Amino acid sequence: MGGKKEKKLWGGRFSEGSSSVTEKISSSIQYDSRLYRQDIRGSVAHARMLNRIGILNDGELAAIVKGLGEIMREIEAGSFEFKTSREDIHMNIEAVLTERIGDAGRKLHTARSRNDQVALDVRLYIRDEAGEIEELLKRLVSMIAGLAEKNAEAILPGYTHMQVAQPVRLSHHLLAYAWQLLRDMKRLAAARDAAMSLPLGSGALAGLNYPTDREFLREELGFTGIVPNSMDAVSDRDFVLDFLYFAAVLGTHLSRFCEELVLWSTSEFAYIRLADGVTTGSSIMPQKRNPDVAELIRGKSGRLLGNLVSLFTLLKGLPMTYNRDMQEDKEPLFDSVDTVKLSLEGMIEMLTGITFNAGRMKEAVYRNFSTATDLADYLARKGVPFRNSHEIVGSIVRHCEQTGADFFSMDAKALREFSPVFEDDIADVLNPEKSTERKLSPGGTSRAEVMKQIEAIRKLV
Ligand code: ARG
């Protein structure tokens, strides 16, 4: 209490109020106000349940539901006053409700603790956000499938060790990213599943001195199950870890994708051009067009991993059950939600305006012996043991390097210097554009296999 200070909702046993540093450390309202919708949804369901078990009469229930509805509208309109001294979203809402409707508001917290309340809010929040993030992921994956279809004929070097390896279709390369993102969608769904059990009705930790109807709450709030142990219910944050893990892996994927966009937009590669809207200039070098959006998405993946590590570190030493440390789960979670959404929006925008320079890619594929493996396979098909054919083609490559001969236009006569097995059908084998169609294996870079992938991906999103 103390002085002009408002009495805390938990203030009964205290004769002095919190110090201002304590209030500052305790307060989470600066960030957890964003849980207002989930908090109100939970409180309405809880009030209905209390009405069913005879703790609230119909008039009290109606006053609570109406009061919470008004508070929701005010928060949305920006006219609700949040107070640091009221610590968190739960107490800010309850205090104002009580100011307005009196005793009915004071009854709302019967058979509930902030411990099961916050566990509920965060689960609802993750469920809500997962829906939005899934939509963004689907859009991004569909866009990649669209680009793959539109650019089915473009080929470029595939790389290993960042060295030219074999020709691949641009569409095949792009679809590799789509598959990563599809796995991310599975991880997201797993995180959402982990949040699908109802913690409310557990009380502070031990259960409640009331015959709470948890099945009613489950139904009302759209959960698929009920957390079976009240102590686990208030101390579990695995579903947040699961979400942060999803976000960290997604971040890693986007970062790799962006690294490639950065590389491909250099004048040395020039495989792509990013639209003006997603590039920025330099304050000193007038010619610059920097791929900042790609760089920042790459950079932001660091926070996504950091947030996961933060929460692991926060949780690992905690005894049963709720510990106040757990309030610190929210900022990493909120930051990862925001970062994931913004990064996905940035990816969508970059891919919307991207143009591919198929000419540059083709030039690159005609350098660096990209079809040397095809040539070795040609010999192998004609009966030369692969290890020998590898050796033979290696010496052809060495010869070209030493003499400056053009590998891609060597004729059968020149090649017979290295092996008598070469015949006149060799020109097609050296041709990088024909190389992709020779990939017979399922999942390879041939047109037919790429089209199968596009179809499969479209079905999944
Ligand atoms: N703001 C708190 C949190 O986020 C709510 C739960 C507080 N519980 C308590 N016993 N102090 O964790």
Side-chain angles (χ1 to χ4, degrees), residues 26 28 32 87-90 113-115 118 237 322-324 326-330:
S26 284
S28 55
D32 72 11
E87 280 184 35
D88 55 25
I89 185 63
H90 324 298
S113 155
R114 270 189 297 156
N115 298 351
V118 73
R237 292 294 181 273
Y322 178 82
N323 297 273
R324 192 63 185 276
M326 289 158 79
Q327 176 163 297
E328 295 286 316
D329 63 352
K330 284 169 207 63

Side-chain angles (χ1 to χ4, degrees), residues 129-148:
E129 293 295 345
E132 285 183 33
I133 292 168
E134 188 185 19
E135 282 314 305
L136 286 169
L137 274 163
K138 278 187 180 168
R139 264 175 64 199
L140 180 56
V141 171
S142 310
M143 267 184 101
I144 296 173
L147 287 171

Side-chain angles (χ1 to χ4, degrees), residues 12 34 59 66 79 85 93 101 122 153 160 195 197 298 317 351 381 384 457:
R34 78 154 82 185
K66 182 162 169 276
S79 59
S85 58
I93 290 177
I101 67 168
V122 178
E153 296 316 319
T160 62
S197 289
R298 186 179 60 189
L351 295 187
R381 260 200 320 278
V384 180
I457 289 171

Side-chain angles (χ1 to χ4, degrees), residues 70-82 96 100:
E70 275 166 22
I71 290 173
M72 172 99 93
R73 278 189 294 281
E74 285 165 33
I75 295 176
E76 246 138 40
S79 59
F80 187 87
E81 196 199 342
F82 290 112
V96 171
R100 294 179 185 174

Side-chain angles (χ1 to χ4, degrees), residues 108-138:
L108 175 61
H109 210 55
T110 316
R112 185 173 73 172
S113 155
R114 270 189 297 156
N115 298 351
D116 57 354
Q117 186 177 1
V118 73
L120 172 75
D121 291 5
V122 178
R123 283 171 184 262
L124 289 173
Y125 173 78
I126 287 182
R127 282 170 41 184
D128 291 345
E129 293 295 345
E132 285 183 33
I133 292 168
E134 188 185 19
E135 282 314 305
L136 286 169
L137 274 163
K138 278 187 180 168

Side-chain angles (χ1 to χ4, degrees), residues 147-155 169-171 445 447 450-451 454:
L147 287 171
E149 191 163 41
K150 232 175 87 190
N151 295 280
E153 296 316 319
I155 59 164
R169 286 180 188 277
L170 171 61
S171 48
T445 196
R447 190 172 211 288
V450 167
M451 290 302 148
I454 294 175

